[in-house]
Amino acid sequence: MSLPKPLPLLGALGLTLAAAAPTTLAQPICCYNCGSGGPARPLALPGRGQPSAALDHFQRIHDRHTRVRTPAATLSSTSVFVGEIEGSWEDVDGYFSIPYTLPVLGQMNILLRGFPTQPLGGNRYAVSGWDRSVYWLDVGDGLPRLLQALELAEDYVPDAADYFYDSPDVRDTCVVGAGCTLNLVPYLRYQEFGADYTTRGVEENDIRFDEIQMAFVTDSSGDAIDAAVLFNDETPTDPIQPFQQGDTILLSTLAYKIDEPEYIYALGYMDVFEPLQASANITRANFVPGVDFVDPDLPANLDAGNRPVRLILDASNGDGGGYGIGGTRKAEFAYGGPFDLGFLWKDAAGYIFKDGLEPLQGTTAAATGSTAKWRLVVPAGD
């Protein structure tokens, strides 16, 4: 299957927002699950039960770059976080998170940002490269929203076969040593402007939408140079395409539950689909909700700034390559941690050179014979 190429940017360091073919912008949905805190039904994990050439494409890029990561022996001990998980694993990602407790479900771990790990031996894995910042999406309304992304490639340089190679801004900026990164957001809800959703996608509350992934490239400062929407093969559209002005988007909040490694949870976040405007952008910053700005979509009791930052290892064998990459996880998977890093989210920027390692907490037993799924729940916890 051939992959379409991105269109030129409207402006430097912004999202690729191609002008939609009709001249009138799509209108935002007036009300979506209003007052409920967001989506609240279980659904199969997108991209793992259905084939996706788009995800496969970025998996290959991820594999290409993880093979040439900095050897563990050369890592600086003052810039590395270390976790531990028993067993032998083909793929281990490290996610920084904050705890949040929900009724019935118990303690969840809200993901902030993820990285591939490097094995240190003795069941220990290192995560390097985190400067304590996270990614934020502004659809154009001036409000930063948490964009939980896994870094697929550090110092990303596009090959000729890569989707982003035909983006002049990526090709000109992302040369060896420039510090570009390639990132993946594993789940969000999307409506393509001008598409016929009579039977397309998933339906909830009489609204139909696609469940997609997002890939984006940043410069060394963390500003997006280009971004793309990834659809599964069953969606009647190009598998990879740029965002379009007038498309609408709805984010969930992704979280782990340590004693259920076969699942990832998507907590309700945005209540309505928001239209992508020409000024939409992705940035990397040390913002903290409730400290640096107020996000009305977040629950009032989240108190994000006063929650401890913790490291979780996500390990897998067989198909899948980690939660962040997609694919059908048919074999083994497990969580290691959470490992407390010794600081609160509001203090993260002051701990640029602090390490974290403590004895493994939670389960390390691998769950087998399951396919990973998403669960959607309403965040009404504390």
Side-chain angles (χ1 to χ4, degrees):
M1 177 180 295
S2 63
L3 300 175
K5 301 299 182 181
L7 300 179
L9 290 172
L10 294 184
L13 303 183
L15 291 180
T16 300
L17 290 175
T23 57
T24 303
L25 295 185
Q27 297 300 310
I29 302 300
C30 295
C31 181
Y32 180 82
N33 242 4
C34 292
S36 72
R41 70 175 182 83
L43 67 135
L45 177 64
R48 296 179 191 173
Q50 297 177 335
S52 175
L55 278 175
D56 290 345
H57 177 75
F58 286 96
Q59 170 75 71
R60 289 190 293 271
I61 299 173
H62 173 65
D63 292 343
R64 185 179 82 225
H65 278 260
T66 53
R67 286 195 297 268
V68 296
R69 284 177 64 82
T70 304
T74 66
L75 293 175
S76 168
S77 61
T78 59
S79 62
V80 178
F81 292 97
V82 179
E84 183 180 3
I85 185 168
E86 297 177 358
S88 177
W89 303 101
E90 296 174 6
D91 186 273
V92 180
D93 295 326
Y95 283 94
F96 297 97
S97 67
I98 58 172
Y100 182 61
T101 302
L102 287 165
V104 182
L105 289 174
Q107 188 171 105
M108 311 298 291
N109 297 275
I110 296 175
L111 307 183
L112 301 179
R113 192 172 166 197
F115 296 85
T117 65
Q118 295 151 287
L120 300 177
N123 298 326
R124 289 156 54 98
Y125 294 84
V127 180
S128 61
W130 187 43
D131 61 359
R132 315 314 188 262
S133 62
V134 296
Y135 286 105
W136 304 91
L137 170 66
D138 178 353
V139 298
D141 60 3
L143 178 64
R145 296 177 174 88
L146 178 61
L147 195 62
Q148 298 155 297
L150 171 66
E151 184 174 288
L152 301 184
E154 61 178 355
D155 199 19
Y156 173 62
V157 179
D159 278 359
D162 291 359
Y163 170 81
F164 285 115
Y165 183 80
D166 283 357
S167 169
D169 294 275
V170 172
R171 195 170 61 250
D172 293 345
T173 304
C174 299
V175 296
V176 174
C180 293
T181 68
L182 175 66
N183 305 271
L184 180 76
V185 179
Y187 177 73
L188 50 94
R189 295 178 168 191
Y190 206 77
Q191 294 170 324
E192 185 181 8
F193 178 58
D196 182 2
Y197 280 91
T198 303
T199 58
R200 171 174 162 174
V202 175
E203 181 176 356
E204 183 175 294
N205 295 344
D206 298 323
I207 297 174
R208 300 193 69 90
F209 50 87
D210 295 311
E211 294 169 336
I212 67 163
Q213 293 80 41
M214 172 197 298
F216 62 95
V217 178
T218 75
D219 62 14
S220 59
S221 298
D223 293 317
I225 304 170
D226 211 337
V229 183
L230 316 184
F231 296 94
N232 66 57
D233 294 351
E234 306 303 315
T235 306
T237 190
D238 293 333
I240 308 178
Q241 57 181 285
F243 291 112
Q244 283 202 146
Q245 185 177 340
D247 290 356
T248 60
I249 191 170
L250 188 145
L251 295 177
S252 298
T253 301
L254 309 182
Y256 285 156
K257 193 170 188 293
I258 292 300
D259 59 354
E260 295 186 14
E262 69 272 28
Y263 291 99
I264 191 168
Y265 283 78
L267 311 179
Y269 182 9
M270 297 172 64
D271 284 338
V272 298
F273 280 86
E274 294 287 351
L276 288 169
Q277 303 175 34
S279 58
N281 64 86
I282 294 171
T283 58
R284 190 170 68 221
N286 279 299
F287 296 152
V288 179
V291 177
D292 299 302
F293 65 95
V294 175
D295 185 344
D297 289 329
L298 292 174
N301 64 353
L302 179 60
D303 193 19
N306 287 312
R307 295 189 180 271
V309 178
R310 309 194 297 189
L311 174 66
I312 293 176
L313 298 181
D314 173 25
S316 65
N317 287 325
D319 294 340
Y323 277 124
I325 303 299
T328 303
R329 247 161 99 157
K330 299 176 180 177
E332 297 179 308
F333 35 89
Y335 294 152
F339 304 99
D340 192 273
L341 303 183
F343 54 87
L344 305 178
W345 192 4
K346 68 180 180 182
D347 300 322
Y351 283 75
I352 297 298
F353 299 109
K354 187 171 179 62
D355 298 339
L357 173 64
E358 66 176 28
L360 186 65
Q361 302 175 16
T363 182
T364 59
T368 61
S370 299
T371 298
K373 299 180 182 297
W374 293 80
R375 289 178 175 178
L376 295 178
V377 296
V378 178
D382 60 18

